[in-house]
Amino acid sequence: DVDISKNVLFGFSDSVVKVLMDRYLGENHVFYTDNYYTAPALTKYLQERGVGTVGTVRSHVSCF
């Protein structure tokens, strides 16, 4: 039973990923995503905590 809170930088789906990945931070894991979870802020957050990311992006959506 987990309470997921949304903040300005991370939306709800990103917040869910943060909670689920918390126990894997700093362990050199790789997080694979589809375009729904591929967000620059989430990618940067995970990368700064030792988790690599691989995912697809929508070409018509500006990410940076």
Side-chain angles (χ1 to χ4, degrees):
D1 209 16
V2 177
D3 186 25
I4 304 293
S5 61
K6 184 175 95 171
N7 63 38
V8 176
L9 185 57
F10 298 102
F12 182 76
S13 60
D14 292 349
S15 296
V16 170
V17 172
K18 285 176 58 180
V19 168
L20 294 174
M21 291 298 295
D22 186 48
R23 64 190 243 184
Y24 302 106
L25 298 179
E27 297 183 10
N28 296 319
H29 289 284
V30 177
F31 181 67
Y32 289 85
T33 67
D34 62 8
N35 59 32
Y36 187 75
Y37 291 101
T38 306
L42 178 61
T43 300
K44 183 178 178 184
Y45 171 84
L46 293 172
Q47 183 181 33
E48 289 173 346
R49 287 154 182 84
V51 176
T53 59
V54 176
T56 58
V57 294
R58 297 179 192 177
S59 62
H60 66 281
V61 176
S62 175
C63 291
F64 299 96

